[in-house]
Amino acid sequence: MADPRGFLKVTQREEPQKRPVPVRILDYREVGEKGDRAVLDRQAGRCMDCGVPFCHQGCPLGNLIPEFNDFTWRHQSRLAAENLLSTNNFPEFTGLLCPAPCESACVLGINQPAVTIKAVEQFIADEIFDNDWLEPHPPARLTGQTVAVVGSGPAGLAAAQQLTRAGHTVAVYERDQEVGGLLRYGIPDFKLEKRRIDARVKQMRAEGTRFRTGIEVGTDLGWSELRDRFDAIVVAIGAPVPRDLPIPGRELQGIHAAMDYLVRQNRLVAGEEVGDPIDAHGKHVVVLGGGDTGSDCIGTAHRQSAASVTNLAIGIKPPTDRPETQPWPMHPNVFEVQSSHEEGGERRFLVSTVEFVDNGEGHVRALRVADTEIIDGVRRPKQGTEREIPADLVLLALGFTGVETDESLPISLDHGAFSRQENFSTSEEGVFVAGDAGRGSSLIVWAIAEGRAAAAAVDEYLTGSTILPAPVRASDRPIGAR
């Protein structure tokens, strides 16, 4: 283990520093600063190297967390990097974007604040980039088998990299002009700068992965034609269909799905031409939905100099501490303050939107809302509590309902996601599904884990056996998930 008495000497968490709010809202650079070495040493030294490390179970990738904590504490950065890369294709993505279910499962968290595993992981990822340790690993031999990966989000990229390294010839199809899917176009740069994606694409090209951008499978290229060209297909198109709010006034201008807003701004930040940008400058912005997407909208609105930002959630405000109904090692639902929340705005809970109010010219001017109450298990607006909240721009961050369906892809749907077997295969011979397209909207760490596992299944399908790791099955769910 690292420091045998570390968890006794250091009993508190020390979070990584962020750039000051008045500075960071002036640009779209990542909000975090590189971890302080002394702080990382103290935190990594708190790891107890448990006999049964539940952090392994908490991480869908099975990251070898006690080991990389030990290497970090001993300043063996190259060994820490090799350890982390052995289980995680893209630690720079998870280190920045993952909600760290590993920390919820940390054994030390039973009676102390958990080890800052995510911060250590991000520090290692930064070391990999800073020291040019992102070497390509091309296969020693080619199998002669070909695989098409449709979608270049984290699941598609993980599957493609694993299959390429196994010796298959892999082509990744992406309908946008750049690789990355929602990593590039949905996640704001202040959470993930796109240079990180570019570096990974460069590495994957050097390994032999081919990228076909600007091609939408099902429109520009038929699924049947793709199946004829390749020996296997991995479908990793995500679950991007947004949940709508069909209440009176929904047709008014100034009401947008959150991803429409975020994608346009990400394109602007990247220097692309956007014909119809959505600008919050000087406007009263209301964000409906309290998840990660809502937080991204809040941070973007601050950087666009909104007059005010209000975040409404229909549910109750979560507790600040782990509730008794979600004991260790479950990933609890607790009140979260993300970097965007630190930057300003107001958060309100138990608020239901009743109507979007017209300004008389076909544009929203306010939301009519009411407090919510639960009657017979159904959440409803509470009578007599209606009031208006000024709103010039409304962003719907209410989650996602599933995949974009295509009748030319003959795979049945199950609750908005593609049906599949335990090994990610579908009813169509040689077609596999990974990531949100098969499990519904989920976490980036699950997408990477499913991409790796689907790659192992494809490799076995093509060659009869595989040595690729399969950290999860298609039916796996986090502890406590319903």
Side-chain angles (χ1 to χ4, degrees):
M1 63 188 298
D3 185 348
R5 298 181 59 82
F7 69 97
L8 297 174
K9 295 186 294 186
V10 181
T11 60
Q12 296 299 318
R13 284 169 63 92
E14 295 173 275
E15 299 287 354
Q17 294 294 313
K18 302 185 185 74
R19 293 191 293 135
V21 170
V23 174
R24 72 189 194 220
I25 63 173
L26 299 177
D27 59 44
Y28 287 85
R29 289 171 44 224
E30 288 172 6
V31 302
E33 296 180 339
K34 185 171 181 179
D36 180 84
R37 182 82 234 195
V39 172
L40 264 295
D41 288 347
R42 287 194 293 270
Q43 289 301 305
R46 296 177 66 225
C47 179
M48 299 187 296
D49 192 16
C50 307
V52 180
F54 273 76
C55 54
H56 285 191
Q57 176 277 325
C59 175
L61 286 163
N63 284 344
L64 304 175
I65 295 164
E67 286 85 347
F68 72 58
N69 277 325
D70 182 36
F71 288 134
T72 299
W73 182 75
R74 297 178 187 278
H75 288 212
Q76 295 176 321
S77 298
R78 187 62 192 251
L79 290 176
E82 292 173 357
N83 174 282
L84 183 53
L85 290 171
S86 70
T87 58
N88 186 352
N89 296 70
F90 313 119
E92 66 277 15
F93 299 161
T94 51
L96 288 169
L97 303 175
C98 181
C102 54
E103 294 185 6
S104 299
C106 174
V107 177
L108 185 60
I110 295 175
N111 64 348
Q112 281 189 26
V115 175
T116 56
I117 299 169
K118 179 179 174 179
V120 175
E121 180 176 352
Q122 184 55 45
F123 180 84
I124 297 171
D126 287 338
E127 289 281 281
I128 293 170
F129 277 76
D130 293 346
N131 292 287
D132 295 324
W133 292 339
L134 209 62
E135 303 102 337
H137 297 280
R141 63 177 181 82
L142 295 178
T143 65
Q145 305 280 0
T146 59
V147 183
V149 176
V150 184
S152 67
L157 292 178
Q161 186 167 63
Q162 292 293 96
L163 288 166
T164 297
R165 290 177 174 179
H168 305 298
T169 300
V170 181
V172 178
Y173 287 84
E174 169 57 53
R175 64 183 177 182
D176 282 310
Q177 296 301 318
E178 297 290 341
V179 173
L182 288 185
L183 278 176
R184 182 176 297 277
Y185 293 107
I187 304 296
D189 284 55
F190 57 79
K191 289 180 69 174
L192 176 71
E193 292 181 13
K194 304 311 179 268
R195 59 183 173 84
R196 299 183 185 273
I197 303 174
D198 296 336
R200 280 297 178 179
V201 172
K202 180 180 178 181
Q203 179 199 38
M204 292 178 67
R205 288 187 192 277
E207 291 173 346
T209 303
R210 306 171 184 184
F211 293 94
R212 305 286 185 260
T213 58
I215 298 175
E216 182 170 3
V217 178
T219 301
D220 303 314
L221 176 65
W223 287 101
S224 59
E225 183 181 357
L226 194 71
R227 188 66 187 91
D228 291 339
R229 289 187 185 182
F230 291 88
D231 297 309
I233 297 175
V234 178
V235 179
I237 60 176
V241 178
R243 180 173 286 106
D244 204 359
L245 186 60
I247 60 174
R250 176 61 183 88
E251 75 286 351
L252 295 175
Q253 297 180 25
I255 304 170
H256 304 273
M259 276 301 160
D260 290 342
Y261 174 62
L262 295 173
V263 168
R264 284 175 170 84
Q265 186 58 32
N266 278 351
R267 292 185 184 279
L268 284 172
V269 172
E272 297 183 25
E273 291 289 334
V274 177
D276 52 348
I278 303 172
D279 194 352
H281 181 79
K283 296 178 180 177
H284 297 290
V285 179
V286 176
V287 179
L288 301 183
D292 290 339
T293 304
S295 171
D296 294 345
C297 291
I298 292 169
T300 301
H302 288 317
R303 284 158 180 77
Q304 291 181 337
S305 301
S308 68
V309 181
T310 304
N311 184 207
L312 303 182
I314 196 171
I316 191 171
K317 181 179 178 180
T320 55
D321 298 318
R322 180 190 290 272
E324 294 182 358
T325 55
Q326 297 172 338
W328 176 90
M330 293 172 62
H331 190 55
N333 178 30
V334 295
F335 183 67
E336 185 177 10
V337 179
Q338 297 193 25
S339 62
S340 296
H341 301 135
E342 298 170 348
E343 295 163 1
E346 182 181 2
R347 302 171 73 180
R348 303 184 191 179
F349 296 86
L350 287 174
V351 178
S352 175
T353 304
V354 177
E355 179 184 4
F356 299 112
V357 183
D358 194 339
N359 69 349
E361 298 178 357
H363 197 285
V364 66
R365 71 163 179 83
L367 271 67
R368 182 165 291 116
V369 302
D371 295 337
T372 62
E373 59 182 350
I374 300 176
I375 302 176
D376 297 329
V378 179
R379 194 182 304 276
R380 297 188 178 96
K382 188 176 182 179
Q383 296 295 322
T385 63
E386 291 191 7
R387 58 199 182 277
E388 288 189 1
I389 296 177
D392 307 307
L393 175 61
V394 179
L395 303 172
L396 306 180
L398 305 172
F400 304 90
T401 62
V403 299
E404 295 177 348
T405 57
D406 184 344
E407 294 182 358
S408 67
L409 178 61
I411 303 177
S412 60
L413 293 176
D414 181 13
H415 296 89
F418 290 123
S419 297
R420 57 190 184 170
Q421 305 300 316
E422 285 281 294
N423 68 343
F424 304 91
S425 65
T426 69
S427 56
E428 285 295 299
E429 179 72 17
V431 178
F432 298 76
V433 173
D436 289 2
R439 69 182 289 114
S441 182
S442 187
L443 307 178
I444 184 172
V445 66
W446 276 99
I448 297 173
E450 287 212 355
R452 289 170 65 87
V458 172
D459 188 37
E460 184 174 8
Y461 167 78
L462 293 174
T463 65
S465 64
T466 185
I467 60 172
L468 293 178
V472 295
R473 299 169 300 174
S475 62
D476 284 347
R477 290 291 184 271
I479 283 184
R482 296 179 180 177

